[in-house]
Amino acid sequence: MDDQERRSMPLFSIGTVKKLTELTARQIRYYEEHWLITPERTEGNQRLFSFNDVDKLLEIKDYLDKGLNLAGIKLLLNEDTSLKEETTKKEKDLSKTQLRKVLKQELNDAGRYGKTTLRQGELARFFVKY
Amino acid sequence: MDDQERRSMPLFSIGTVKKLTELTARQIRYYEEHWLITPERTEGNQRLFSFNDVDKLLEIKDYLDKGLNLAGIKLLLNEDTSLKEETTKKEKDLSKTQLRKVLKQELNDAGRYGKTTLRQGELARFFVKY
DNA sequence: TTTTTATGTAAGAAAACCTCACATATACTT
DNA sequence: AAGTATATGTGAGGTTTTCTTACATAAAAA
């Protein structure tokens, strides 16, 4: 079992993830609905989250604090993971173009400080050997 | 947050622990009843297990396979943790005496091979940086 | 043989979670 | 400014998971 497997093992109920991320269940489900995360399910259809999922949620939270919208965050998250996989150059260029458009709006904002609550980065890096 | 804290954070539902350890809920609860583990509880009284708990359960499973009984296993588990804490010499000697008595029976057994199912040792060592 | 140990199973209740729907504040678009 | 989209709150009704308690039982110990 390698690190990637460990990080993607379905381990946590939504209750635990709520505590870990300080997000509401509504938010977590909404982000799933929009494909920012794709947690597994139990046989009875209950969500089971991995370290990777929790990390993404913490990232989402962080980016939201900085004023990004979900569309932009989705691109950033994909950017992160797609860089670790093999992606055609075309796709990456497309992403970057769209990304810049979204980020431009961020620059015109410049307000808001990241009121980092608990851990706003990388839970798995905190927990999982790699 | 140090490693000990990480390892003792209440994270997992009993459902997850069942999958992780391949023990039945009955077994897990029984071991708690006999103080081999002491998982936390949610506000609504549902058990929440830590990496340490899961590790102990895997140890318990391993020792049971080797023919030890719960009394002996409990001493071994305490032995493990008490060595890391400060204990009076008296207490330790007492434990060791009792322990030997229990282990004697193990020696007269000598059968049974540990049919190591998934991970029979140290889940936290597998998951948690330390 | 009787007792103890470790586990199975079932019932009834409570907690946690599910989806769906509607409400709403804030941010965009025109 | 008015209308639309985004992100989240809230509540209802239903399902899944977990809880405790109690009784049953095979294997081991006394």
Side-chain angles (χ1 to χ4, degrees):
Chain A
M1 185 170 65
D2 66 8
D3 292 325
Q4 183 45 41
E5 280 181 274
R6 269 193 284 277
R7 296 171 78 119
S8 58
M9 273 188 70
L11 296 174
F12 308 117
S13 70
I14 200 170
T16 294
V17 175
K18 277 171 56 182
K19 284 183 211 140
L20 250 24
T21 62
E22 293 182 329
L23 294 166
T24 65
R26 183 66 168 93
Q27 288 176 296
I28 295 166
R29 296 193 188 110
Y30 186 71
Y31 304 151
E32 181 193 24
E33 194 182 337
H34 289 269
W35 299 95
L36 305 207
I37 53 171
T38 52
E40 305 267 310
R41 300 287 181 125
T42 66
E43 285 195 3
N45 198 40
Q46 317 238 151
R47 272 166 267 254
L48 278 182
F49 300 81
S50 67
F51 276 113
N52 264 334
D53 291 325
V54 177
D55 269 350
K56 282 191 183 177
L57 289 171
L58 290 169
E59 275 197 82
I60 291 167
K61 220 188 149 191
D62 202 36
Y63 285 134
L64 282 175
D65 276 348
K66 289 178 177 155
L68 293 213
N69 63 16
L70 285 199
I73 294 169
K74 172 147 59 167
L75 291 175
L76 285 174
L77 292 180
N78 289 340
E79 198 83 356
D80 284 353
T81 56
S82 69
L83 287 178
K84 294 170 194 162
E85 297 161 2
E86 76 165 13
T87 317
T88 68
K89 198 165 181 313
K90 242 170 207 157
E91 282 171 337
K92 267 197 253 179
D93 287 347
L94 181 62
S95 292
K96 289 215 176 116
T97 306
Q98 298 179 274
L99 181 59
R100 247 177 282 286
K101 195 173 158 197
V102 175
L103 288 180
K104 211 172 49 183
Q105 151 191 316
E106 225 257 285
L107 297 174
N108 293 338
D109 199 318
R112 269 163 286 210
Y113 295 81
K115 42 183 167 179
T116 160
T117 41
L118 262 184
R119 283 294 308 148
Q120 84 293 39
E122 292 274 306
L123 187 76
R125 276 193 201 150
F126 225 49
F127 264 103
V128 180
K129 288 202 291 193
Y130 65 113
Chain B
M1 186 171 67
D2 66 7
D3 292 324
Q4 183 45 40
E5 280 181 273
R6 269 194 284 278
R7 295 170 80 119
S8 57
M9 275 188 69
L11 296 173
F12 308 117
S13 70
I14 200 170
T16 294
V17 175
K18 277 171 55 182
K19 284 183 210 139
L20 250 25
T21 62
E22 294 182 326
L23 294 166
T24 66
R26 182 65 168 96
Q27 289 177 296
I28 296 166
R29 295 193 188 109
Y30 186 72
Y31 304 152
E32 182 193 24
E33 194 181 337
H34 289 269
W35 299 95
L36 306 206
I37 54 172
T38 52
E40 304 268 310
R41 299 288 181 126
T42 66
E43 284 195 6
N45 198 40
Q46 317 242 150
R47 271 165 268 253
L48 278 182
F49 299 82
S50 66
F51 276 113
N52 264 335
D53 292 325
V54 177
D55 269 351
K56 282 192 185 176
L57 289 171
L58 290 169
E59 276 196 83
I60 291 167
K61 221 187 148 190
D62 200 35
Y63 286 134
L64 281 175
D65 278 346
K66 289 176 178 156
L68 292 212
N69 63 15
L70 285 201
I73 294 170
K74 173 148 55 167
L75 290 176
L76 286 174
L77 292 181
N78 289 341
E79 199 82 357
D80 284 354
T81 56
S82 69
L83 287 178
K84 295 169 194 161
E85 297 161 3
E86 75 165 16
T87 316
T88 69
K89 199 167 182 311
K90 241 169 206 157
E91 282 172 337
K92 266 198 251 180
D93 288 347
L94 180 60
S95 293
K96 289 216 177 115
T97 306
Q98 298 180 275
L99 181 60
R100 245 178 286 286
K101 194 174 160 198
V102 175
L103 288 180
K104 213 172 50 184
Q105 150 192 317
E106 224 257 287
L107 298 173
N108 293 337
D109 199 320
R112 271 164 283 210
Y113 295 81
K115 43 184 165 176
T116 162
T117 42
L118 263 184
R119 284 295 307 147
Q120 85 290 40
E122 292 276 303
L123 187 76
R125 276 194 200 149
F126 224 48
F127 264 102
V128 180
K129 287 200 293 192
Y130 68 111

